[in-house]
Amino acid sequence: MKETNFGEKTRVLVVGGTGSLGRRIVTACLAEGHETYVLQRPESGVDLEKVQLLYSFKRLGAHLVEGSFSDHQSLVSAVKQVDVVVSAMSGVHFRTHNIPVQLKLVKAIKEAGNVKRFLPSEFGMDPSRMGHAIPPGSETFEQKMEVRNAIEAAGIPHTYIVGACFAAYFGGNLSQLGTLLPPKKTVDIYGDGNVKVVYVDEDDMAKYAAKTLNDPRTMNKTVYVRPTDNILTHMELVQIWEKLSGKELEKNYVSAKDFLADIEDKEIPHQAGVGHFYHIYYEGCLTDHEVGDDEEASKLYPDVKYTRMDEYLKIFL
């Protein structure tokens, strides 16, 4: 499929622009040539790291727009300045869990009436396929569906980007719970380790978001991020690391029954994480359905040279 450039500059507002993915989306939008705005919320004014990050965006050419989720009119004013709104608000239980707050954003976009596209905070498992999810992790999908339903009820043009595990949380640690670093001696393998999983570098996820937000092909569609070379089984990921490090890890095979055995004894954020891991590594929820070339990000945007996991894992050597 040929590379595509949709020409005219788009004015984009990024909400959650100081977060792990949000800051990458801001950078990617600037690199794509979009006129980029970042919502500056009052609470970020007392967080030194966020203030420094926001003003680093300003130096790169982004516009800072003040707005608060406790002031509806400020949100309406913010979205009236742009064509597209991208939300990158956190939806993971062990960080700030802000998915429902987006309903206020939907309300503001509807009232403003000028927004040509809204990309809500998705980027992971497709919530429309997760009706069977284990609680309390199911809450994430239920809330994302509530946001989707509100978007569609309001008639807001949209794109949903889903389909991959972030490499920072699932790749570098070889998919081990409770750490972001690769294990040194022993690695837990989920089931037989042969279920296909999709991994993506967050920088690449951000690049795909920046490409899709004004692409007429993705209007009112779900775009799956499923780069061919990053569809790997858990065992294949571990083997890539073993080859790079030159060390073989001892494998501890964990059955589905054992994996879920003491879930109820854990803290709520940990329970949510275990449930999500189960759906990904035991059920194969990221790869158990077909995706056409016209709805897969790496096929739509072949000019994005995505990071393969063997390259990604080199930073841990």
Side-chain angles (χ1 to χ4, degrees), residues 33-178:
H34 299 318
E35 192 176 326
T36 306
Y37 296 72
V38 185
L39 190 70
Q40 183 175 6
R41 289 181 275 162
E43 55 268 32
S44 60
V46 295
D47 185 320
L48 178 61
E49 189 186 346
K50 287 185 177 180
V51 168
Q52 290 175 335
L53 189 57
L54 285 166
Y55 281 86
S56 74
F57 293 150
K58 193 174 181 183
R59 286 194 295 275
L60 291 171
H63 308 275
L64 303 183
V65 186
E66 292 187 1
S68 169
F69 282 103
S70 55
D71 179 355
H72 172 69
Q73 219 47 52
S74 74
L75 288 180
V76 174
S77 299
V79 302
K80 273 189 173 174
Q81 298 180 52
V82 299
D83 309 303
V84 175
V85 178
V86 181
S87 172
M89 302 192 74
S90 175
V92 288
H93 281 76
F94 61 88
R95 296 170 77 93
T96 50
H97 190 70
N98 285 330
I99 295 298
V101 179
Q102 294 180 106
L103 293 170
K104 295 183 178 182
L105 198 52
V106 172
K107 193 176 171 188
I109 290 169
K110 184 182 180 183
E111 184 174 321
N114 61 293
V115 171
K116 296 173 185 170
R117 191 88 61 100
F118 178 38
L119 278 66
S121 185
E122 297 248 352
F123 309 110
M125 292 174 259
D126 183 350
S128 70
R129 301 182 61 84
M130 298 306 297
H132 66 292
I134 299 169
S138 55
E139 182 183 45
T140 302
F141 310 119
E142 290 159 3
Q143 290 173 350
K144 285 182 176 181
M145 286 309 296
E146 190 181 355
V147 173
R148 282 192 183 193
N149 292 337
I151 291 167
E152 291 167 28
I156 298 167
H158 55 272
T159 301
Y160 305 136
I161 303 179
V162 300
C165 292
F166 287 171
Y169 293 112
F170 295 88
N173 57 0
L174 307 187
S175 310
Q176 303 302 284
L177 283 160

Side-chain angles (χ1 to χ4, degrees), residues 8-315:
E8 66 180 76
K9 300 303 174 206
T10 302
R11 294 171 303 162
V12 182
L13 173 67
V14 182
V15 180
T18 58
S20 177
L21 180 62
R23 67 186 68 185
R24 290 170 164 87
I25 291 175
V26 172
T27 306
C29 285
L30 287 165
E32 197 64 22
H34 299 318
E35 192 176 326
T36 306
Y37 296 72
V38 185
L39 190 70
Q40 183 175 6
R41 289 181 275 162
E43 55 268 32
S44 60
V46 295
D47 185 320
L48 178 61
E49 189 186 346
K50 287 185 177 180
V51 168
Q52 290 175 335
L53 189 57
L54 285 166
Y55 281 86
S56 74
F57 293 150
K58 193 174 181 183
R59 286 194 295 275
L60 291 171
H63 308 275
L64 303 183
V65 186
E66 292 187 1
S68 169
F69 282 103
S70 55
D71 179 355
H72 172 69
Q73 219 47 52
S74 74
L75 288 180
V76 174
S77 299
V79 302
K80 273 189 173 174
Q81 298 180 52
V82 299
D83 309 303
V84 175
V85 178
V86 181
S87 172
M89 302 192 74
S90 175
V92 288
H93 281 76
F94 61 88
R95 296 170 77 93
T96 50
H97 190 70
N98 285 330
I99 295 298
V101 179
Q102 294 180 106
L103 293 170
K104 295 183 178 182
L105 198 52
V106 172
K107 193 176 171 188
I109 290 169
K110 184 182 180 183
E111 184 174 321
N114 61 293
V115 171
K116 296 173 185 170
R117 191 88 61 100
F118 178 38
L119 278 66
S121 185
E122 297 248 352
F123 309 110
M125 292 174 259
D126 183 350
S128 70
R129 301 182 61 84
M130 298 306 297
H132 66 292
I134 299 169
S138 55
E139 182 183 45
T140 302
F141 310 119
E142 290 159 3
Q143 290 173 350
K144 285 182 176 181
M145 286 309 296
E146 190 181 355
V147 173
R148 282 192 183 193
N149 292 337
I151 291 167
E152 291 167 28
I156 298 167
H158 55 272
T159 301
Y160 305 136
I161 303 179
V162 300
C165 292
F166 287 171
Y169 293 112
F170 295 88
N173 57 0
L174 307 187
S175 310
Q176 303 302 284
L177 283 160
T179 181
L180 297 177
L181 298 170
K184 291 189 168 25
K185 293 180 180 176
T186 307
V187 61
D188 283 347
I189 301 292
Y190 306 122
D192 60 7
N194 290 325
V195 170
K196 292 281 186 185
V197 178
V198 186
Y199 300 92
V200 68
D201 185 321
E202 289 85 338
D203 287 331
D204 295 331
M205 181 66 86
K207 288 173 188 173
Y208 290 132
K211 293 269 186 195
T212 194
L213 57 80
N214 64 343
D215 183 346
R217 298 174 300 175
T218 62
M219 172 77 82
N220 296 334
K221 293 222 169 86
T222 298
V223 173
Y224 292 86
V225 177
R226 201 188 274 194
T228 307
D229 290 350
N230 284 354
I231 303 171
L232 303 165
T233 66
H234 189 197
M235 190 62 85
E236 285 170 339
L237 180 72
V238 170
Q239 287 166 347
I240 288 169
W241 172 249
E242 288 179 330
K243 187 177 178 183
L244 285 171
S245 65
K247 295 174 188 167
E248 190 172 339
L249 296 167
E250 184 183 330
K251 317 292 188 300
N252 177 38
Y253 293 88
V254 183
S255 70
K257 184 181 175 186
D258 288 345
F259 187 74
L260 294 175
D262 57 352
I263 185 171
E264 290 172 6
D265 300 333
K266 304 279 197 292
E267 298 285 323
I268 293 293
H270 191 86
Q271 285 186 36
V274 167
H276 290 178
F277 266 65
Y278 176 80
H279 298 306
I280 294 165
Y281 290 96
Y282 291 91
E283 291 184 347
C285 68
L286 296 177
T287 58
D288 64 357
H289 53 288
E290 293 298 316
V291 170
D293 286 358
D294 61 342
E295 55 183 353
E296 197 284 305
S298 69
K299 304 287 194 309
L300 287 166
Y301 312 109
D303 49 318
V304 174
K305 306 302 179 198
Y306 64 86
T307 302
R308 274 66 173 170
M309 285 303 100
D310 55 346
E311 278 299 314
Y312 184 85
L313 288 171
K314 284 178 183 174
I315 64 172

